[in-house]
Amino acid sequence: VSSSVRKNPGLTMVVVIPNGATSAWRESIHPSMPNFDMSKLANAGRRNAEACSEATQAMAESAQAISRRQAELARAQVEKVLKTTKEMLVNGSPEINTTKQVEFAKTMFETSLNNMREVGELVTKSGFEVFDVLNRRASESIEELTGAAAKTSTTSKRKAA
């Protein structure tokens, strides 16, 4: 049993409707109001929430992967710096070390640019994955709304005839 409150100026009336009679009651009160299935609305909301959850999960996994990769790249850079510094301190004259330092600085700069490019590509890929999840759900929602509107329109036309 469902109930509804209908307010008129100066009068408030509670109407108790047995299950299954809701559409007949709605038609008697508001004949132009389309027959709308609330369970479909609830299901659409549930699917929207699932898509948001999936997108959030994808973002979290991507953030973890990006963080791990950044840590790996940083660790490799530090190891390279330590190794090169040790070699310069142990071996060679100041003139040779100056040449090695210039080469090392150039190599470190190039490596840093490549690392930034790699991380940027990971971030871009992550963004596209999240966008795809949300875009797919938005497309499904549009199809659902279009189908519901077409069904409501067909039902309204039959009732008018």
Side-chain angles (χ1 to χ4, degrees), residues 3-16 25 29:
S3 66
S4 176
V5 176
R6 182 173 176 214
K7 293 183 179 181
N8 290 327
L11 174 68
T12 301
M13 176 176 32
V14 176
V15 181
V16 177
W25 172 77
I29 302 296

Side-chain angles (χ1 to χ4, degrees), residues 50-52 54-55 58 128-138:
E50 288 170 355
C52 287
E54 185 180 344
F128 279 123
E129 289 172 357
V130 170
F131 177 77
D132 287 343
V133 169
L134 297 175
N135 187 40
R136 182 177 62 242
R137 180 59 201 138

